[in-house]
Amino acid sequence: MAHTEHQTMRRVLHREIAGTIGVLTDEHDFRAMRRYRSFTFDDHATYLRQVETVLKTRAAQGSHTTIALFDPQDYAVYCAENGLDPEAPSSRTRFTAELAATGPTVPYDGRPLATLLPTLVDEAVRQATWEYATTLLTRLGPCPTCGEDIGRAAFTRAAALLVRILDTAPPGDRHLVCSVSGPPDTVISVLNGEQDPGGDTRLDEAETLEFTSVLALGLGTRSPGGLVMRTSAPATADRVYGWRLRAGRLEPLTASEVFDAYCTDVESGDIISPESGVDYCEPPDLGEEGTGHHH
């Protein structure tokens, strides 16, 4: 009787243990892991089906599971730095536990793995973009004239500008894109906001942090770039407008400049037919926040 009760209690506790599974999302990473003899899968599609079966089984048992992006290159570095044998399954377990604490994850909620994996990859890209922008901002150091931390000041200003941009936007859902040109790379961030019935805009916290960091990078490094806003509301035409980033400032684009940007093929330079139901217009005035002199 006591033995049966102990088994029951252990099953209850097992259901309350949260788990994380690291997933190899593409063929390239899958092939990289096959160099380890202890990794016994030989087909990526079969591997993904087995992962999904494990996720469904755990969900049916009442267990919560998060999915993490397993990067073979990061795994090799992790094993080397911690003196672990990369062939040992326990090493992969430890690495996956580290991912759960520090890396991007998405909860398994019953949706097909084919639907969840793009979300996971987007989370990984968002985190990598934020880390990259933050690193570059940190390296800017203090202003040689006043001693203020340039990166921190740029982030504070970018946050205020974003609030101003959202506050002056017409009613509707918002889609913002910010791009900052190298060197060495062009950094792009996207922010989506849905407007609730009360008129407030709901923003994802991680997306907002990444977007603000990229905008701050353009302001703080005085790099060229741009910011475009698109608003959508029922029974009205979408409105598109934007600003160019130049010398650490946001300068409004004219309606014709916005039209040209949206109706020109980036690669060929050919004219593209404008979308129906879209107004290309000038942005609202941001006030002193958008025109003042800064670092």
Side-chain angles (χ1 to χ4, degrees), residues 263-272:
C263 301
T264 303
D265 185 275
V266 176
E267 295 183 358
S268 67
D270 295 337
I271 301 299
I272 304 172

Side-chain angles (χ1 to χ4, degrees), residues 41 110 238:
F41 292 95
D238 285 10

Side-chain angles (χ1 to χ4, degrees), residues 164-170 229 231 239-243 252-253 281-287 290:
R164 183 67 177 155
I165 289 169
L166 293 171
D167 284 348
T168 57
M229 158 83 88
T231 60
R239 298 187 65 184
V240 178
Y241 54 82
W243 299 261
L253 296 170
C281 49
E282 294 185 6
D285 182 17
L286 298 180

Side-chain angles (χ1 to χ4, degrees), residues 59-134:
Q61 295 171 345
S63 298
H64 174 78
T65 311
T66 56
I67 306 169
L69 191 67
F70 195 104
D71 186 301
Q73 187 174 359
D74 289 346
Y75 173 64
V77 172
Y78 176 81
C79 289
E81 290 179 345
N82 292 276
L84 301 175
D85 177 10
E87 282 284 1
S90 59
S91 298
R92 291 197 286 274
T93 301
R94 285 184 56 177
F95 177 66
T96 301
E98 186 81 9
L99 292 177
T102 62
T105 61
V106 295
Y108 177 69
D109 55 9
R111 285 181 291 167
L113 200 57
T115 301
L116 286 174
L117 290 186
T119 302
L120 178 60
V121 172
D122 287 345
E123 286 292 327
V125 171
R126 183 179 302 122
Q127 179 167 318
T129 302
W130 171 74
E131 290 175 350
Y132 176 72
T134 301

Side-chain angles (χ1 to χ4, degrees), residues 195-229:
Q195 193 169 57
D196 62 26
D200 294 327
T201 301
R202 297 190 297 270
L203 299 173
D204 179 84
E205 185 176 347
E207 273 191 14
T208 304
L209 181 60
E210 179 215 8
F211 189 91
T212 306
S213 299
V214 170
L215 177 56
L217 181 63
L219 299 173
T221 60
R222 306 172 73 85
S223 299
L227 193 158
V228 176
M229 158 83 88

